[in-house]
Amino acid sequence: YPGCFAMTELHHGSNVQGLQTTATFDPVTDEFVINTPNDGAIKWWIGNAAVHGKFATVFARLILPLQGMGGGSADMGVHASIVPIRNLKTHSVLPGIEINDCGHKIGLNGVDNGALRFHSVRIPRDNLLNRFGDVSRDGKYTSSLPTINKRFAATLGELVGGRVGLAYSSVGVLKIAVTIAVRYSLLRQQFGPPKQPEVSILDYQSQQH
Ligand SMILES: Cc1cc2nc3c(=O)[nH]c(=O)nc-3n(C[C@H](O)[C@H](O)[C@H](O)COP(=O)(O)OP(=O)(O)OC[C@H]3O[C@@H](n4cnc5c(N)ncnc54)[C@H](O)[C@@H]3O)c2cc1C
């Protein structure tokens, strides 16, 4: 099934540690509750969300209720969970999920970027991607990494390869564009000295720049 990677929020792009979507553990039902607390926390630009995606890997702050501490809660930082967003058979949007299309873009229109809003959507504990941090049945948090920052770095480390790849492919596209422009500028002729053949536009300083 097609899925999507739902990290970016309307108000939080580069600053992933500032994400506001929450995944709150409910010890009564053994579920996580995924919620969008405000408009700025709507997941934005999410590829595959607008039309095709059945599931989303949602990055959200993991909130754990503190037992015996007067009803408080602890913010364990950003974690990823799998959230179903459309019915597998009918493809209709599931209850509690709101999806909008980001609309026409100046490029990459083959990708259906969309916006996702979660209204207290419940997911089972198994949907937490728990490689770097887990929650026990009684709501206790465990991790092989000692701090929020270390867990965050490990979680986002997977993106580094993609970022390098994106910069690399941009350079590739730019090289092709420059090659096409230089070849065209060599063949295309406009103006020239009086009573003589027109000259290649590549001879003009403004075109070279
Ligand atoms: C076509 C497209 C597809 C996308 N698909 C997805 C997707 O599938 N899933 C997903 O989660 N996200 C997706 N994104 C979102 C993408 O990851 C974000 O756009 C990106 O993280 C940047 O966030 P932003 O757009 O909010 O820019 P901002 O974070 O607001 O940055 C704006 C500008 O400020 C600069 N800037 C920000 N902080 C600093 C700083 N500390 N120092 C110096 N400069 C800084 C940035 O470099 C940038 O030039 C997509 C975006 C696009 C355009």
Side-chain angles (χ1 to χ4, degrees):
Y1 296 110
C4 31
F5 180 87
M7 187 169 74
T8 304
E9 295 175 357
L10 187 55
H11 285 182
H12 315 97
S14 308
N15 183 13
V16 177
Q17 251 175 325
L19 295 182
Q20 289 183 298
T21 302
T22 50
T24 306
F25 182 62
D26 180 348
V28 177
T29 60
D30 197 22
E31 293 169 315
F32 293 100
V33 182
I34 310 294
N35 193 52
T36 305
N38 55 56
D39 289 351
I42 292 172
K43 295 292 179 188
W44 205 265
W45 281 129
I46 310 307
N48 256 353
V51 181
H52 299 110
K54 301 277 198 200
F55 295 92
T57 301
V58 176
F59 286 73
R61 316 199 74 77
L62 178 62
I63 308 293
L64 298 182
L66 292 172
Q67 290 140 1
M69 305 276 284
S73 59
D75 179 343
M76 309 311 293
V78 175
H79 289 64
S81 307
I82 304 286
V83 182
I85 57 172
R86 287 189 174 89
N87 184 294
L88 293 186
K89 289 197 179 114
T90 65
H91 201 60
S92 57
V93 176
L94 292 174
I97 313 270
E98 209 180 306
I99 302 180
N100 286 288
D101 198 321
C102 288
H104 183 78
K105 306 183 291 280
I106 57 171
L108 218 64
N109 282 300
V111 181
D112 56 323
N113 292 93
L116 293 171
R117 183 170 205 141
F118 304 97
H119 299 277
S120 297
V121 174
R122 289 180 170 269
I123 55 166
R125 122 196 326 283
D126 285 351
N127 289 25
L128 175 70
L129 299 178
N130 59 358
R131 182 169 166 199
F132 301 118
D134 204 0
V135 180
S136 65
R137 177 65 190 87
D138 59 353
K140 293 214 172 58
Y141 185 79
T142 49
S143 173
S144 54
L145 301 166
T147 62
I148 282 190
N149 282 347
K150 287 222 160 83
R151 289 194 290 272
F152 181 73
T155 305
L156 288 209
E158 297 298 322
L159 297 179
V160 173
R163 285 178 174 147
V164 172
L166 212 59
Y168 189 71
S169 56
S170 302
V171 170
V173 170
L174 211 59
K175 278 182 177 170
I176 293 169
V178 168
T179 305
I180 292 169
V182 169
R183 281 185 179 160
Y184 176 78
S185 301
L186 202 60
L187 293 176
R188 179 74 174 167
Q189 295 174 328
Q190 290 292 290
F191 305 99
K195 300 197 187 331
Q196 287 188 40
E198 289 182 300
V199 299
S200 163
I201 58 170
L202 193 58
D203 288 342
Y204 296 114
Q205 202 174 24
S206 58
Q207 182 71 2
Q208 291 165 9
H209 288 278

